[in-house]
Amino acid sequence: MLYIIGLGLADERDISTKGLEIVKRAERVYLEAYTAVLLVEKEQLEAYYGRSVIIADREMVESQSDDILAGAHEKDVAFLVVGDPFSATTHTDLALRCRQHEPHIATRTLPNASILTAVGATGLSLYNYGQTVSMVFFTETWKPDSFYDRVAENASLGLHTLVLLDIKVKEPNLQALARGKIVYEPPRFMTVAQCASQMIEVEETRQQGITAKEKLAIGVARLGSEGEQIVAGTLEELTQFDLGKPLHSLVLVGTKMHEMEWEFAREFAVDKEKFDEIWKRDYVGKN
Amino acid sequence: MLYIIGLGLADERDISTKGLEIVKRAERVYLEAYTAVLLVEKEQLEAYYGRSVIIADREMVESQSDDILAGAHEKDVAFLVVGDPFSATTHTDLALRCRQHEPHIATRTLPNASILTAVGATGLSLYNYGQTVSMVFFTETWKPDSFYDRVAENASLGLHTLVLLDIKVKEPNLQALARGKIVYEPPRFMTVAQCASQMIEVEETRQQGITAKEKLAIGVARLGSEGEQIVAGTLEELTQFDLGKPLHSLVLVGTKMHEMEWEFAREFAVDKEKFDEIWKRDYVGKN
């Protein structure tokens, strides 16, 4: 059996007690470590589990999944995923391979907390979100802006948008690669401030007002951990706000935000007066 | 401190190890038991925790929250919620009361699995969902159909819709009430078949094709448990399908369903040939 086990969001103790039992008795334990990361190191997981953990990078999961699945038709293999297992399509892909495997490998998934629901901590109702979008690191020559259309679709219905921010783990240094050496860059995690800047940058070319400077947004950092932090304000304000260590996410507020959501969210505002003023001017009754 | 702790979806062992530690040492332990239920009884939780658990019904949470919060400014109180704490606005409300309480009560939330993400088990990408809707039990005289507009909005963008199904727990028997007696009805949980029937019933009056008989949908039952069950088909097919014990939910498929989602979901089809035929005819390239 392949157990795909969600680890939740913060540290080694967010695994369910059921998940922990499986990890302790599994033949091998893998940790998917490229679509999301916990706030603690692998060694801390290993100490808590009393097991060694094999890091599964993108290369291993996408090209060497046979190694992961070896023997799983008769023994238990645990594949750990930060957050909830089904929040990344990679895992759907892995489950599909188990189905097609000869001999067939049974799979079981243990759900856990995901950023998609933990974001409820902002006070914005989870029932008022539209589709989720991703924001990648812009470069000088590559500034993909398809997120803008998705956000505009959500906004047309007054819905909030959760924006997941890019992480770069184990990226090869291109200069070293050109010299035939593989050297990995240090990991990079997009901040709320960077995301807000990129949104405003795209607004300058798209000009539909979807991610304009005065749009209200909420930035979140390290949700589900003791050090979680939430800040609300205009996109422009958020470009100046340092939310500290990763992981960060951003929510763009939709006009459907009702009074109870507003009451909860304004407590996190950089500038409450401004937040209320914009809410009354641009949001209330605009849906 | 008030700890609002998510229990996940299935049984007593879906709590995180961190959550379990808090439950074991808290002054009092409450279980919110009216917006969702676990698949096991309270006694099984108590045996596992080694603690007695106080059932918090709607009346207690909404009108007697002072009892729940008593002493929480200096001692730890655990408030357990099935699924993820923020999936119900009640809990946002409770957190607001803690903020306003004199003396102030600090709160901490421990996220956990929610139906909103566990539904990823269907193979439909969590990034392609629009707003979530609820379906209540229809009566002869009360058939609220506002869900239809929300589904139509999602469908206009090609998005999937998660439909959460009504549960009735601790509802007084109205006839007994008229005689001055309080007698509670047995709990009722809406099935996927009932939901599909109600959707088709509303289609008959609304006639926009949003929840027509041949729309593709996926029914899920007991997600996250060993006995989880998933079935895909037309709404009409689902009216005839018995998914067994609660809890059930339904997903109405959007036209954005891409090939990998289809490949995964069709494995659950009542009638694969029909599923594929309708997918090709009404979904592919229609967004």
Side-chain angles (χ1 to χ4, degrees), chain A residues 34-73:
Chain A
Y34 58 96
T35 61
V37 294
L38 281 182
L39 308 179
V40 297
E41 298 299 320
K42 179 185 109 158
E43 288 69 26
Q44 201 163 325
L45 294 184
E46 290 181 322
Y48 187 67
Y49 300 156
R51 297 290 313 260
S52 67
V53 169
I54 306 162
I55 293 288
D57 57 20
R58 186 185 301 273
E59 163 78 9
M60 184 189 283
V61 176
E62 294 183 357
S63 315
Q64 299 158 34
S65 64
D66 282 351
D67 293 353
I68 298 174
L69 302 180
H73 59 287

Side-chain angles (χ1 to χ4, degrees), chain A residues 259-277:
Chain A
E259 202 157 326
M260 193 175 162
E261 292 177 280
W262 163 73
E263 192 185 344
F264 201 94
R266 71 188 290 277
E267 288 295 316
F268 303 118
V270 181
D271 177 342
K272 279 203 180 73
E273 215 170 295
K274 190 168 177 184
F275 190 86
D276 291 351
E277 186 191 310

